[in-house]
Amino acid sequence: MKRNEIELISTIGNALGEYELTPLITWALRFFLRNAYESLVIVDRQGHVQFMDNGSEKLFGIPRGGAHGLDINDLLPDTILPRVLQTGYPSAGRVLNVRGVNKISSSYPLMKGGRVIGAIGRVLFHSLEEVEKINEEATRLRHEVKSMRRRERNEYRAPYTLNHILGTSPALKECVHMAEKIARVNADVLLSGESGTGKELFAQAIHNLGRPERPFVRVNCPAIPLELAESEFFGYERGAFTGADPSGRKGKFEAANNGTVFLDEVNSLPLSIQAKLLRVIQEREVEKLGSTRSRKLDFKIIAATNVDLKRAVEAGSFRKDLYYRIARTAIDVPPLRSRREDIPVYVRHFLVAINQRFGTGFKGLSREALSCVIEYDWPGNVRDLVNALEQACLKTWTGEELPLDSLPSDVTAGGLKGEGR
């Protein structure tokens, strides 16, 4: 070890206070002075080198100890150390040209009694190009995180509002009016109605009236396997079970924090899951699989069912306490056959979208076809109507009006039969 290194370590040792200058600390200080990754230069008040590490001496082609007393400006014309000596202000992360290579440097004043007595200069031996590569990688990772968050926002987005709920019938207007009132209060909602009546449309509209910037998390209850239901709903910690994501996973309720959970076809959930779901809804807290801690959450529940839940409760397939918890407010979306005056509105609206998708140019239905469509009972409701219009457009392909014989045979048979009612 060089004499000036020994003197420095001895001086630092005296400054350790209550800490003993152990062999480990001595070795660490020696590493600090001979750091192979960073240079160390100490200059006095006049900018003359008092210490330079071996790596820096080799870089400048100076023999050991040969830098002592040299003017730092002669070695590094681009250095900011003279300014640090003059102002007493440090400089970190500055680009410094060292023998034709850009590197990252930091300079710090040495103060004693409020007066600058010298300065320390450090330079990363890695070139700026290497640092830029690291920055590029960090930038790439930040972009990936932003992209993932953007995908998550899109995944948990509700695109539909009350403006997308078409129809002029009194029954539908009453549902819309009820949805507007429900959206203003922090209450869970039960949407009842046959398949295809637009329950999810109402769910999204209610969400967007009350929490438009928050996540809307849709849960298709029948599609969740029983053995995965808990992990899907409540999430899990890493290592919770064989095959689990090593980093763990958020459940649907955690993903919906501050937003809305839409439980589609909630009636399909098994009783074992209903019991756990009840506690989450009551307490507004979730405990992940593999965890011993619960987390408080804030979410609105909108549940949808295509069966009569009261009858399901009577039959024992749906918990009574869960029913009353999610049915604090309720909307019964009427089937299309009970609001036939809305059918012409839907026909005009969906034909525009179908024409754009298929490249057709139909402006409407013939008088006979429209009369048949209005009289048909539409067991699949609006979804069924859209499907029939698509089939009619593909079958006819050209023209301005869709004739009666372009409609599916079950529609024509049922619609013509209904005209006699």
Side-chain angles (χ1 to χ4, degrees):
M1 186 179 294
K2 295 192 299 184
R3 184 172 61 85
N4 56 352
E5 285 185 2
I6 295 172
E7 292 173 354
L8 269 173
I9 290 177
S10 177
T11 302
I12 294 171
N14 292 332
L16 286 174
E18 300 299 324
Y19 291 94
E20 181 184 353
L21 186 59
T22 63
L24 175 62
I25 294 177
T26 301
W27 190 261
L29 292 173
R30 181 177 182 273
F31 172 82
F32 174 76
L33 296 172
R34 294 184 176 184
N35 189 347
Y37 308 102
E38 291 182 88
S39 72
L40 172 64
V41 178
I42 302 174
V43 298
D44 61 15
R45 184 70 180 84
Q46 287 71 41
H48 297 140
V49 176
Q50 300 300 303
F51 175 85
M52 179 177 283
D53 64 279
N54 291 343
S56 297
E57 289 176 335
K58 289 179 182 179
L59 182 64
F60 288 106
I62 300 172
R64 278 195 167 194
H68 188 274
L70 295 179
D71 192 318
I72 192 63
N73 284 307
D74 294 336
L75 294 173
L76 292 168
D78 196 32
T79 182
I80 200 173
L81 278 171
R83 188 188 304 175
V84 173
L85 290 168
Q86 182 181 2
T87 64
Y89 291 110
S91 171
R94 184 175 181 272
V95 177
L96 176 65
N97 187 284
V98 181
R99 297 177 71 84
V101 180
N102 287 333
K103 298 182 180 295
I104 303 298
S105 69
S106 299
S107 303
Y108 308 98
L110 292 170
M111 311 291 291
K112 184 177 181 180
R115 186 172 63 90
V116 178
I117 62 170
I120 294 177
R122 300 192 66 81
V123 174
L124 280 172
F125 280 143
H126 294 289
S127 67
L128 184 59
E129 287 73 18
E130 291 178 273
V131 175
E132 287 175 345
K133 287 180 181 178
I134 294 172
N135 287 336
E136 287 174 2
E137 179 66 13
T139 301
R140 185 186 66 80
L141 291 173
R142 283 197 297 271
H143 286 162
E144 283 188 7
V145 171
K146 287 182 180 178
S147 178
M148 289 174 62
R149 288 175 177 170
R150 188 162 50 247
R151 285 198 300 270
E152 186 176 90
R153 284 196 299 269
N154 290 336
E155 180 184 359
Y156 298 140
R157 188 175 63 91
Y160 297 113
T161 67
L162 284 178
N163 293 330
H164 293 92
I165 299 177
L166 306 176
T168 58
S169 63
L172 192 68
K173 284 185 176 181
E174 177 60 30
C175 289
V176 170
H177 180 62
M178 188 66 180
E180 289 175 325
K181 290 196 295 185
I182 288 173
R184 298 191 188 102
V185 297
N186 189 23
D188 297 329
V189 189
L190 177 63
L191 298 170
S192 301
E194 297 176 5
S195 294
T197 51
K199 296 185 293 295
E200 183 170 353
L201 200 62
F202 272 94
Q204 293 191 22
I206 292 169
H207 168 81
N208 282 323
L209 279 171
R211 306 184 175 199
E213 303 301 323
R214 309 294 177 82
F216 177 87
V217 179
R218 181 181 183 273
V219 183
N220 185 16
C221 295
I224 299 178
L226 176 60
E227 62 273 13
L228 298 178
E230 282 191 63
S231 62
E232 285 291 316
F233 277 116
F234 315 129
Y236 56 82
E237 298 288 357
R238 61 181 181 179
F241 53 87
T242 303
D245 190 318
S247 58
R249 182 179 295 180
K250 290 194 298 186
K252 299 297 186 182
F253 286 97
E254 188 176 359
N257 192 27
N258 297 317
T260 301
V261 180
F262 175 52
L263 301 175
D264 196 13
E265 295 189 46
V266 68
N267 51 283
S268 67
L269 291 176
L271 289 169
S272 59
I273 299 300
Q274 290 180 31
K276 295 178 180 179
L277 186 62
L278 175 64
R279 182 181 180 280
V280 171
I281 295 175
Q282 285 179 332
E283 305 299 329
R284 284 318 199 249
E285 62 180 29
V286 169
E287 183 178 307
K288 289 184 176 182
L289 287 176
S291 176
T292 57
R293 295 180 301 171
S294 297
R295 180 186 174 188
K296 282 287 186 181
L297 300 174
D298 173 34
F299 51 79
K300 185 186 187 82
I301 291 286
I302 302 180
T305 176
N306 56 6
V307 302
D308 188 336
L309 276 191
K310 286 185 177 180
R311 290 187 179 180
V313 169
E314 293 171 359
S317 61
F318 200 83
R319 289 180 64 101
K320 184 176 182 181
D321 46 8
L322 179 59
Y323 168 74
Y324 285 114
R325 188 63 186 79
I326 63 176
R328 287 187 170 182
T329 56
I331 296 177
D332 189 10
V333 184
L336 199 53
R337 62 182 173 274
S338 68
R339 49 188 179 94
R340 299 179 188 275
E341 60 267 50
D342 290 335
I343 292 177
V345 177
Y346 292 140
V347 169
R348 288 192 297 271
H349 173 77
F350 289 117
L351 271 182
V352 172
I354 294 170
N355 284 331
Q356 290 177 346
R357 194 162 68 252
F358 291 171
T360 50
F362 296 106
K363 295 181 179 178
L365 276 64
S366 68
R367 186 174 59 183
E368 295 82 2
L370 181 60
S371 176
C372 178
V373 164
I374 292 173
E375 293 301 323
Y376 185 58
D377 281 343
W378 299 109
N381 294 290
V382 178
R383 193 179 297 128
D384 196 2
L385 172 62
V386 174
N387 182 267
L389 292 174
E390 288 176 340
Q391 291 185 51
C393 288
L394 289 173
K395 182 178 180 180
T396 307
W397 197 254
T398 59
E400 292 189 356
E401 284 188 344
L402 288 167
L404 178 63
D405 60 5
S406 69
L407 297 172
S409 57
D410 57 336
V411 176
T412 55
L416 294 175
K417 182 180 178 181
E419 288 180 356
R421 68 166 58 92

